[in-house]
Amino acid sequence: MSEVYAVRRTRLRERCNASGSTAALVSRPANVRYLAGAAPENAVLLLGRTEDVLVCPEPPDDRTPHSRPDEALRLHLMSGIGGDPAVEAAALATAQDVDALAVEEHHLTVTRHRAIGEAAPRLRLTGVAGAVEQLRVVKDEEEISCLRIGAEIADQALGELLESILVGRTERHLALELERRLVDHGADGPAFPPPWPPAPRRPPGHRPTDRRVEEGDFLSVCLGATYRGYRCEIGRTFVIGTAPADWQIELYDLVFSAQRAGRESLAPGAACRDVDRAARQVLDSAGYAEALPVLTGHGVGLEIDEDPQLTPAAMGKLDACVPVTVEPGVHLPGRGGVRIDDTLVVRPEADGGPELLTITTKELLAL
Amino acid sequence: MSEVYAVRRTRLRERCNASGSTAALVSRPANVRYLAGAAPENAVLLLGRTEDVLVCPEPPDDRTPHSRPDEALRLHLMSGIGGDPAVEAAALATAQDVDALAVEEHHLTVTRHRAIGEAAPRLRLTGVAGAVEQLRVVKDEEEISCLRIGAEIADQALGELLESILVGRTERHLALELERRLVDHGADGPAFPPPWPPAPRRPPGHRPTDRRVEEGDFLSVCLGATYRGYRCEIGRTFVIGTAPADWQIELYDLVFSAQRAGRESLAPGAACRDVDRAARQVLDSAGYAEALPVLTGHGVGLEIDEDPQLTPAAMGKLDACVPVTVEPGVHLPGRGGVRIDDTLVVRPEADGGPELLTITTKELLAL
């Protein structure tokens, strides 16, 4: 595995060199993990001029292979207590005769940035905002395999929940129950904390509630597993009670059509905004323009919300091996709503088209 | 309640004015909540020259009284999608003829700070780092009452766990079980996510594990409830099986003495470092200097880790009505460890001395 991380670091180094920096300081935890193989708490990674150094406040947890940092990195343990590893890394950069250090300006606070500048006044600080995130968009098969296992775990947890009695329980309780089942099945933990979805993802007017589930309710459940750091999500909507009402069947079918349109438009080279439009226009033309969330899908990986964003204003195109969610939803204030959410991997048609990772049925179940 | 928030905003405004800023932009969620009564997702608070404005991406959740922002604030809903409320607040400040705006440099990233500067080039941006945090240190009785209820909830959840069977379960499972019980008893949620304690709080060498609990183990459990935004914590150590070994009793008694020494030294006017030393020297003199964590306690409130910090290098003194934890611990690699953690409120002796909020027994129980 070590070569994977070395290759990633080389790619970042090339980008930094191209923009005139001889070294880079990576502080955002998901980016540290991507480049170093593990992100010990509060650790930062220095891509130096002469060597790469992982600066850690304490010895990394090495009890499992996937919590062990890449052995090709030099490990630097902080000498003092309460210091900032980013400041210590800047001092190490100076010692390596670095003149321009690229830092993650979208992650460092103004205060930390200033402390780095004061501790290493000879360093010129430049920006590398978003560079690692861009490298992370296209996944390798090892990463996709982690997402696939995470999706299996989420499917299992959801399947078990559906076999239990739901009436009388709150959304919050169901979320905790799901978390426990995810861990039971081998997840590192949930992929995101409840309540979910957060604004601005959630449809206007909808919020997770403490209300108990009742007969006749539309119940939307959204969960995800983290497996070896990789996060996926799945969302399904059910009717509680014996038979769905006509308006519930109609609304469900509509959201299902929108979600299918989004899924079917996933292809290498497809514009992100076109995928969004495919899903959105089904709901728009049925008169639900006002009830739609800001996005109809997004990338997933080491974080639950990554690029690409599937929105009307998105600029980029999809590539093969990019995992995304497709998750249109409609919420009718006072009546409930429908949301259907899958994680898929963009694949060329020759490989069978988009790979669905979350395989729980999308039939409208009455529970 | 509205006056409480107005008074807090006035105190902050006075500090900003004294340092030459006519307005302040508060972005850190706990600080927004402290000054506005609620912190809608991604909202920021502008303490303006002519009026105070809460800038929100979507309408605040007003279903419960304690999620409703102070009605004395003007509510400004973001016009567009995906914009930064801090940038929009800076534009509002300009419209109020503000010349110098104090921002939270310890919370804003370099990228956001730059976007504010570019969107409002006539504004001079100054710093207000830590000012709201300082106001938050001394709590009023309403705040302490929330902490007290949270502590009761944590005591209840822990009490129930102790009545259940622990052998064969992992620390991670026990943590999830505790979360569920906290919510059952009325908590907003857990006060902190597992694993806990995080570095650098935890004793050197100790990490939460996935190992199953076995007979003879020392089991340390640390949990906390959030109630109306306020977070407390409690930690206890138990022996699994019929009777503790001699070395376990000895180590437990030692940590208990250290924790009691810390608790008993809590008083208005006591130096934070003296409280730390009171607890630490008991363990030091028994030869455990190397096995001690960086701090032996810390403030709690809207965040689980606030000022004051009880460390050897801490500078300040305690005031009355400051809630703190006292939580010394020793971990012996390969054998396990002991940690005893309470949340208390500093009170003058005339009022009975420190008020213990977490009242679960500190006897060494064999479960």
Side-chain angles (χ1 to χ4, degrees):
Chain A
M1 271 304 282
S2 190
E3 311 81 58
V4 172
Y5 304 115
V7 168
R8 293 174 182 173
R9 291 195 297 272
T10 300
R11 292 179 65 195
L12 179 63
R13 192 187 310 275
E14 285 165 0
R15 291 190 69 150
C16 291
N17 292 352
S19 62
S21 300
T22 44
L25 173 60
V26 179
S27 53
R28 188 170 174 168
N31 291 344
V32 172
R33 181 160 189 160
Y34 184 74
L35 298 170
E41 218 167 332
N42 298 318
V44 303
L45 175 66
L46 172 68
L47 294 198
R49 210 176 57 80
T50 53
E51 71 178 336
D52 295 343
V53 189
L54 188 64
V55 182
C56 301
E58 62 167 359
D61 186 356
D62 57 1
R63 289 174 305 180
T64 60
H66 56 275
S67 65
R68 232 169 267 156
D70 179 7
E71 285 169 5
L73 294 170
R74 180 161 78 84
L75 207 63
H76 175 91
L77 291 182
M78 301 272 292
S79 44
I81 275 168
D84 183 344
V87 169
E88 198 140 323
L92 295 174
T94 304
Q96 286 188 22
D97 278 332
V98 168
D99 52 353
L101 178 69
V103 301
E104 298 198 296
E105 296 181 332
H106 61 313
H107 177 257
L108 289 178
T109 64
V110 175
T111 303
R112 285 184 86 186
H113 191 266
R114 185 180 299 136
I116 293 169
E118 286 169 358
R122 283 189 296 145
L123 275 183
R124 188 164 50 86
L125 297 182
T126 63
V128 68
V132 186
E133 285 82 352
Q134 278 176 43
L135 296 178
R136 283 167 43 198
V137 169
V138 175
K139 270 71 177 178
D140 64 31
E141 288 303 323
E142 188 85 30
E143 295 180 281
I144 291 173
S145 159
C146 291
L147 286 166
R148 199 180 287 119
I149 295 171
E152 279 173 21
I153 292 172
D155 278 323
Q156 282 176 310
L158 182 56
E160 289 172 3
L161 185 81
L162 300 186
E163 288 170 11
S164 66
I165 289 167
L166 301 177
V167 171
R169 299 164 78 188
T170 67
E171 282 188 24
R172 207 183 337 200
H173 267 108
L174 295 175
L176 288 170
E177 167 88 13
L178 283 168
E179 274 193 29
R180 191 181 61 75
R181 292 184 187 278
L182 292 171
V183 173
D184 279 344
H185 288 293
D188 307 343
F192 40 82
W196 190 261
R201 168 106 26 102
R202 103 192 129 216
H206 175 68
R207 293 175 201 282
T209 69
D210 273 332
R211 205 172 68 83
R212 291 179 192 281
V213 173
E214 290 174 15
E215 292 258 334
D217 279 0
F218 253 154
L219 176 71
S220 284
V221 174
C222 185
L223 72 153
T226 306
Y227 183 77
R228 300 206 172 171
Y230 284 83
R231 293 155 200 267
C232 64
E233 67 180 63
I234 176 172
R236 293 290 184 267
T237 301
F238 311 98
V239 172
I240 306 298
T242 45
D246 287 348
W247 72 271
Q248 290 178 318
I249 296 173
E250 249 169 64
L251 188 62
Y252 191 92
D253 287 348
L254 184 73
V255 174
F256 179 82
S257 303
Q259 205 251 0
R260 186 178 53 200
R263 279 187 281 120
E264 290 178 349
S265 63
L266 293 176
C272 294
R273 63 168 64 176
D274 289 344
V275 177
D276 176 75
R277 185 165 51 221
R280 194 175 293 271
Q281 71 186 5
V282 175
L283 303 172
D284 263 1
S285 61
Y288 290 112
E290 292 295 304
L292 303 185
V294 170
L295 53 71
T296 56
H298 56 88
V300 294
L302 288 170
E303 291 174 291
I304 190 58
D305 197 349
E306 301 193 349
D307 283 334
Q309 301 282 302
L310 305 182
T311 66
M315 293 302 291
K317 290 185 173 179
L318 293 175
D319 281 310
C321 299
V322 173
V324 294
T325 67
V326 178
E327 49 173 308
V330 170
H331 184 82
L332 305 179
R335 301 177 80 189
V338 175
R339 190 151 157 275
I340 304 173
D341 182 355
D342 280 311
T343 302
L344 305 99
V345 181
V346 177
R347 302 278 194 191
E349 213 180 311
D351 294 349
E355 178 188 353
L356 182 68
L357 300 187
T358 44
I359 59 168
T360 296
T361 181
K362 287 187 277 282
E363 270 183 272
L364 176 54
L365 298 180
L367 300 175
Chain B
M1 271 306 279
S2 191
E3 311 81 57
V4 172
Y5 305 115
V7 168
R8 291 174 182 172
R9 292 195 297 272
T10 300
R11 291 179 66 194
L12 179 63
R13 191 187 310 273
E14 285 166 0
R15 290 190 71 148
C16 292
N17 292 351
S19 62
S21 301
T22 45
L25 174 59
V26 179
S27 53
R28 187 169 174 170
N31 291 345
V32 173
R33 180 160 190 162
Y34 184 74
L35 298 170
E41 218 167 333
N42 298 318
V44 303
L45 175 65
L46 173 68
L47 293 198
R49 212 176 54 83
T50 55
E51 70 177 337
D52 296 343
V53 190
L54 188 65
V55 182
C56 302
E58 62 167 359
D61 187 355
D62 57 0
R63 290 174 304 181
T64 59
H66 56 274
S67 64
R68 232 169 266 156
D70 179 5
E71 286 169 5
L73 294 169
R74 181 161 78 82
L75 209 63
H76 174 91
L77 290 182
M78 300 272 293
S79 42
I81 274 168
D84 182 344
V87 169
E88 197 140 324
L92 295 175
T94 305
Q96 286 188 22
D97 279 331
V98 167
D99 52 353
L101 178 68
V103 301
E104 298 198 296
E105 296 182 332
H106 62 313
H107 177 258
L108 289 178
T109 64
V110 175
T111 303
R112 287 185 85 186
H113 190 266
R114 184 179 300 137
I116 293 170
E118 286 170 358
R122 283 188 298 144
L123 274 183
R124 188 163 51 84
L125 296 182
T126 63
V128 67
V132 187
E133 285 82 352
Q134 278 176 41
L135 295 179
R136 283 167 44 198
V137 169
V138 175
K139 271 71 176 176
D140 64 31
E141 288 302 324
E142 188 86 30
E143 296 180 280
I144 291 173
S145 159
C146 291
L147 287 166
R148 199 180 287 121
I149 295 170
E152 280 173 21
I153 292 172
D155 278 323
Q156 282 177 310
L158 182 55
E160 289 173 3
L161 185 81
L162 300 187
E163 287 170 12
S164 66
I165 290 166
L166 301 177
V167 171
R169 300 164 80 188
T170 67
E171 281 187 23
R172 208 184 334 203
H173 267 109
L174 294 176
L176 287 170
E177 166 88 14
L178 282 168
E179 275 194 27
R180 192 180 62 74
R181 290 184 187 277
L182 292 171
V183 172
D184 279 345
H185 287 295
D188 308 342
F192 41 81
W196 190 261
R201 170 102 29 99
R202 93 190 137 220
H206 175 67
R207 291 175 203 280
T209 69
D210 273 332
R211 206 171 68 83
R212 291 180 192 280
V213 172
E214 291 174 13
E215 293 259 332
D217 279 359
F218 252 156
L219 176 72
S220 284
V221 175
C222 184
L223 73 151
T226 306
Y227 183 77
R228 300 207 172 167
Y230 284 83
R231 293 156 200 266
C232 64
E233 67 179 62
I234 176 172
R236 293 289 185 267
T237 301
F238 312 99
V239 172
I240 306 297
T242 45
D246 285 349
W247 73 270
Q248 290 178 317
I249 295 173
E250 250 168 62
L251 188 62
Y252 190 91
D253 286 349
L254 184 74
V255 174
F256 178 81
S257 301
Q259 204 251 0
R260 185 178 53 201
R263 279 189 280 120
E264 290 178 349
S265 63
L266 293 176
C272 294
R273 62 168 65 175
D274 289 345
V275 176
D276 176 75
R277 185 165 51 220
R280 192 175 294 270
Q281 71 185 6
V282 175
L283 303 172
D284 263 1
S285 60
Y288 291 113
E290 293 295 302
L292 303 185
V294 171
L295 54 69
T296 55
H298 57 88
V300 294
L302 289 170
E303 292 175 290
I304 191 58
D305 197 351
E306 301 193 348
D307 283 333
Q309 302 282 302
L310 305 182
T311 67
M315 292 302 291
K317 291 184 173 180
L318 292 175
D319 280 310
C321 299
V322 173
V324 293
T325 67
V326 178
E327 48 172 309
V330 169
H331 185 82
L332 306 179
R335 301 177 80 188
V338 175
R339 191 153 156 275
I340 304 173
D341 182 355
D342 281 311
T343 302
L344 305 98
V345 181
V346 178
R347 303 278 194 190
E349 213 181 312
D351 293 349
E355 178 188 352
L356 182 68
L357 299 187
T358 44
I359 59 168
T360 295
T361 181
K362 287 187 279 281
E363 271 182 89
L364 175 54
L365 297 181
L367 299 175

